[in-house]
Amino acid sequence: IIGQICPVTLPANGNELGQAAVKTTGAPLLLNVKTSQGSTVQKGETALVLEYNAENKFYLIEPYQTI
């Protein structure tokens, strides 16, 4: 999951959890996500999964622009 690009399904920022969907061979895997401080991602945007926070059970993402 780390290093994968995913569409954002619920907006997220550094303070509030959002949601993103990672493609799998079956149904997409829905992740609880937050962004690094100062970043925001909106529904429909693309993000890159950076790391998993096991203590708080969410993935850290950052906005990702495709060309």
Side-chain angles (χ1 to χ4, degrees):
I1 294 173
I2 306 299
Q4 291 196 23
I5 297 167
C6 56
V8 176
T9 55
L10 291 173
N13 60 44
N15 298 321
E16 296 181 19
L17 279 175
Q19 201 169 62
V22 173
K23 290 181 183 178
T24 64
T25 54
L29 182 62
L30 297 177
L31 307 178
N32 290 326
V33 296
K34 281 189 178 183
T35 63
S36 53
Q37 289 297 336
S39 297
T40 301
V41 289
Q42 298 298 321
K43 180 179 179 180
E45 294 181 345
T46 305
L48 176 66
V49 182
L50 299 176
E51 64 185 58
Y52 180 65
N53 183 321
E55 182 179 331
N56 296 311
K57 299 182 181 176
F58 69 85
Y59 287 85
L60 185 66
I61 61 172
E62 70 176 16
Y64 185 84
Q65 299 295 323
T66 55
I67 297 175

